[in-house]
Amino acid sequence: MFSCHHVFITLFLYRYLRLAVNLLGFCMHRPIPIPGSPRLTSQNVTVVIPSLHGDGGELWDTIRSILATEPYEIILVTVGAQERHAKHVVKELNLSKVRIYSVSQPNKRRQMVRAIPEVQTDITIFADDDVTWPSTLLPWMLAPLEDKRYGGVGTNQRLRRAESPNLQQRVWGYLGALYLERRNFDCASCMFIDGGLPCLSGRTVAYRTSILRDPAFTYGFTHEEWLGQYQLNADDDNFITRWLITHGQKISYQHHKQAEVLTTLEDNPKFLKQCLRWSRSNWRSNITSMFCDRYIWTHQPWSTYAVYLTTVSHWAFIWDLLLIYLYLDVARSWQSDSRDLGLAMLAGWMVSSKFLKLLGHYIRYPGDFLLLPVSIVFGYFHGFIKGYAMLSLNVTAWGSREGADDDDAYRMIRVSQKHQEATDFGNSACYAYTQ
């Protein structure tokens, strides 16, 4: 039987080996360099922007920043009557490289599928309608795609900080910035170690158009099911990433300042709703990857341990309390001075581990270090968000963006009983999609 000493060491190593190795991987990661004579140029790129709106300053700022990179064209897919507004603005601004289409319901998968047949280039980049691209982005995103083994490329992201924020905006913005920083860290480190990452974020991501036009992909993308009971029309970027991985396509993550995309997150309590939506998406996709596809266990073993398994095993508040309890049990026979010193060292390591992967942010914004206690408390609170997400995986609502939930019922539709019975045969606990 294991003693508390053995259990403490095992749990400590399981929890913190991930951080130590990822720190090394992050420091050693280098993006795939731009070739001297690239085969692919910006004229091989079409950018698709699914948007709820056909107008608005943020949308057109996004389009201007993308046009500055000189892609072949931009396809904006909006919703219903917004198409007319968008076409009017395009005409007024004389944007000859922007084409406008629309769908009847505000659903990102529908919007993406509407645009794909219209793409005339080898590379398709999907971008959110609230991002800002650097003018240097495209050469870095195209560099991995010079190798035909690569099917998708992601890039690092930073928060576009609010100008002259009030205290509430600064705190929420700080938490949002750390979310992106943590994601950049995990993606870069896992990409170096075993070439894996859980999701190529749809904020800005490049794919080979031939993959997106594959009839099998189109069917799977438009007929994904959750638990054999619901047709899932959310989590588009998770699906495409899993498709690439399970179909033998390599993926790349270009972590470089010249490939850094700026984006916005909520800087108010609606940020909690964003976290809830992201957590539900992670649960659905990572469970599928681990227990239905199962491809990652043999092809991305480190990423499986360091990222995927954290969905089910990482509960910061419980882990920290358990480690402290086990330490106190192990050290109860020690002299008080030694026991107190050991406890202080354990607590110090726990606190340090919560900001080591975020050092890049604190170096850029040293004043934010004063908000470290906020991030630690929020990290513990996030466990409750994650737990609630686990209990409500059939919910796909955004709750944080006007108009985004007008047709929320379409994102997860109950399948017919006949179809359900066929799907349930042999695999009722998995997503079902054609491979």
Side-chain angles (χ1 to χ4, degrees):
M1 185 175 180
F2 291 109
S3 66
C4 285
H5 178 77
H6 292 116
V7 174
F8 173 82
I9 292 176
T10 300
L11 294 183
F12 185 90
L13 289 176
Y14 178 81
R15 178 159 167 74
Y16 293 115
L17 177 65
R18 174 176 64 245
L19 173 62
V21 176
N22 275 358
L23 282 169
L24 180 62
F26 180 79
C27 293
M28 298 185 69
H29 171 77
R30 298 293 183 271
I32 294 176
I34 300 171
S37 300
R39 178 178 56 87
L40 297 172
T41 70
S42 63
Q43 292 305 295
N44 296 107
V45 173
T46 295
V47 182
V48 176
I49 307 175
S51 178
L52 292 173
H53 310 291
D55 200 357
E58 189 171 62
L59 170 62
W60 297 108
D61 286 345
T62 294
I63 289 176
R64 289 188 189 96
S65 76
I66 293 174
L67 287 173
T69 66
E70 301 183 345
Y72 177 77
E73 68 175 344
I74 295 174
I75 297 177
L76 174 64
V77 186
T78 185
V79 181
Q82 296 294 332
E83 180 181 8
R84 179 171 54 84
H85 299 302
K87 286 183 175 179
H88 175 73
V89 175
V90 166
K91 183 178 180 180
E92 288 291 314
L93 298 178
N94 194 28
L95 301 176
S96 59
K97 282 191 172 185
V98 180
R99 284 195 286 160
I100 311 294
Y101 297 95
S102 69
V103 296
S104 59
Q105 293 174 304
N107 181 267
K108 192 173 181 181
R109 289 205 193 198
R110 273 194 168 192
Q111 292 169 279
M112 294 164 73
V113 170
R114 175 65 184 88
I116 290 169
E118 309 297 336
V119 175
Q120 302 174 33
T121 57
D122 293 336
I123 307 300
T124 301
I125 295 183
F126 292 110
D128 281 356
D129 61 2
D130 60 350
V131 297
T132 302
W133 283 15
S135 60
T136 52
L137 177 67
L138 286 185
W140 285 102
M141 294 199 75
L142 294 174
L145 296 170
E146 294 284 332
D147 185 338
K148 293 186 178 181
R149 295 176 298 171
Y150 284 87
V153 180
T155 185
N156 62 310
Q157 303 156 9
R158 302 278 183 222
L159 182 72
R160 185 165 61 235
R161 290 166 72 97
E163 297 181 6
S164 303
N166 58 36
L167 179 60
Q168 176 182 245
Q169 289 176 316
R170 183 178 178 188
V171 171
W172 290 114
Y174 164 74
L175 294 174
L178 293 192
Y179 164 80
L180 295 175
E181 189 75 21
R182 192 176 293 108
R183 188 184 187 285
N184 291 339
F185 175 88
D186 289 338
C187 289
S189 56
C190 289
M191 182 57 57
F192 172 79
I193 295 170
D194 66 4
L197 51 80
C199 179
L200 290 168
S201 170
R203 292 186 181 93
T204 294
V205 58
Y207 301 111
R208 293 194 187 278
T209 305
S210 58
I211 294 173
L212 303 178
R213 285 183 172 169
D214 182 349
F217 169 84
T218 302
Y219 183 85
F221 191 59
T222 55
H223 292 78
E224 183 180 7
E225 293 178 11
W226 168 243
L227 297 178
Q229 301 178 44
Y230 302 95
Q231 179 178 321
L232 182 65
N233 292 305
D235 310 341
D236 52 276
D237 47 5
N238 283 295
F239 176 89
I240 301 178
T241 304
R242 292 198 313 272
W243 179 274
L244 294 177
I245 292 172
T246 57
H247 286 73
Q249 295 286 331
K250 296 185 70 173
I251 57 177
S252 179
Y253 176 76
Q254 294 290 76
H255 189 274
H256 193 280
K257 180 65 177 177
Q258 293 184 351
E260 184 174 281
V261 173
L262 298 181
T263 188
T264 60
L265 298 176
E266 295 291 344
D267 57 4
N268 54 62
K270 288 183 179 180
F271 177 70
L272 298 176
K273 295 182 178 181
Q274 287 186 313
C275 290
L276 182 59
R277 176 169 59 86
W278 296 330
S279 187
R280 286 175 178 141
S281 181
N282 286 339
W283 273 108
R284 288 189 292 256
S285 185
N286 290 353
I287 287 174
T288 300
S289 294
M290 289 188 290
F291 305 119
C292 299
D293 298 340
R294 298 186 293 276
Y295 185 90
I296 58 172
W297 293 96
T298 54
H299 291 77
Q300 299 174 359
W302 178 260
S303 296
T304 302
Y305 157 67
V307 179
Y308 291 94
L309 276 174
T310 61
T311 300
V312 296
S313 67
H314 183 66
W315 305 84
F317 187 70
I318 295 174
W319 273 98
D320 287 359
L321 280 182
L322 183 59
L323 285 173
I324 291 173
Y325 169 80
L326 290 171
Y327 168 79
L328 291 175
D329 188 81
V330 169
R332 61 185 172 181
S333 62
W334 299 2
Q335 294 183 356
S336 60
D337 289 348
S338 298
R339 184 173 60 250
D340 292 346
L341 177 60
L343 182 61
M345 292 175 64
L346 176 61
W349 169 252
M350 287 178 171
V351 172
S352 298
S353 70
K354 298 181 189 305
F355 71 83
L356 282 174
K357 64 169 64 176
L358 307 173
L359 277 177
H361 175 84
Y362 292 116
I363 290 172
R364 290 189 299 274
Y365 306 104
D368 280 0
F369 198 80
L370 297 174
L371 295 173
L372 177 62
V374 175
S375 70
I376 293 175
V377 172
F378 184 78
Y380 290 136
F381 176 74
H382 191 270
F384 293 98
I385 296 177
K386 181 178 171 180
Y388 181 69
M390 178 184 65
L391 299 174
S392 56
L393 294 180
N394 64 326
V395 178
T396 55
W398 280 50
S400 60
R401 189 169 186 179
E402 184 179 354
D405 294 326
D406 289 350
D407 287 275
D408 178 56
Y410 179 76
R411 294 196 189 110
M412 192 172 282
I413 306 170
R414 185 173 290 277
V415 299
S416 67
Q417 184 64 32
K418 180 178 179 180
H419 187 191
Q420 178 178 334
E421 290 173 356
T423 304
D424 284 349
F425 181 74
N427 200 19
S428 62
C430 297
Y431 284 94
Y433 59 86
T434 299
Q435 297 189 33

